[in-house]
Amino acid sequence: VSLMAANPKEAEATAEIRASSSLVAAKRAETTQETISGFVSGAAITTTKTIVKYPLDTATVRLQVPNTLYSISNLPQLFEGSYRGMSLPLLSNIPGGAIFFAIKDATKSV
């Protein structure tokens, strides 16, 4: 059974439909790849940001609390134990960052 069209116009229309559907499939694959890339990069940047920023936020709070032993002149004491308690912010921030960047990258071409 031949799928060839009876006249040249039908053949041309069939070729255009095939080309169009392959472009749509390529665009979907590209969007999926961008979504996955955004998800992974969002998780990575959120992890890095939390690991770098958490001790600095802890030191800032320690300096703002009145009548404490912490001071800017004693940096080792100021940053001592500043990574304690970071697991919960990591567990809550990483999925949020990953989903945010995945959606952002998926919708930027829309």
Side-chain angles (χ1 to χ4, degrees):
V1 175
S2 174
L3 295 177
M4 295 296 294
N7 64 43
K9 287 186 179 183
E10 286 181 19
E12 186 178 321
T14 303
E16 286 179 17
I17 290 171
R18 285 184 184 148
S20 175
S21 66
S22 67
L23 287 174
V24 168
K27 185 67 175 169
R28 269 194 203 130
E30 183 180 320
T31 302
T32 302
Q33 185 178 8
E34 286 183 12
T35 301
I36 293 170
S37 171
F39 187 85
V40 172
S41 63
I45 194 69
T46 304
T47 301
T48 304
K49 182 186 84 158
T50 302
I51 289 172
V52 170
K53 192 177 170 211
Y54 192 83
L56 298 174
D57 288 341
T58 302
T60 301
V61 169
R62 287 178 177 176
L63 289 172
Q64 291 174 346
V65 174
N67 302 325
T68 62
L69 301 174
Y70 300 110
S71 72
I72 195 74
S73 61
N74 191 357
L75 289 179
Q77 184 184 19
L78 180 64
F79 285 101
E80 181 181 325
S82 61
Y83 284 101
R84 268 185 274 165
M86 189 171 53
S87 59
L88 187 60
L90 277 173
L91 289 174
S92 62
N93 291 342
I94 292 172
I99 291 170
F100 172 79
F101 280 97
I103 292 172
K104 179 180 108 22
D105 287 351
T107 59
K108 74 179 177 185
S109 62
V110 174

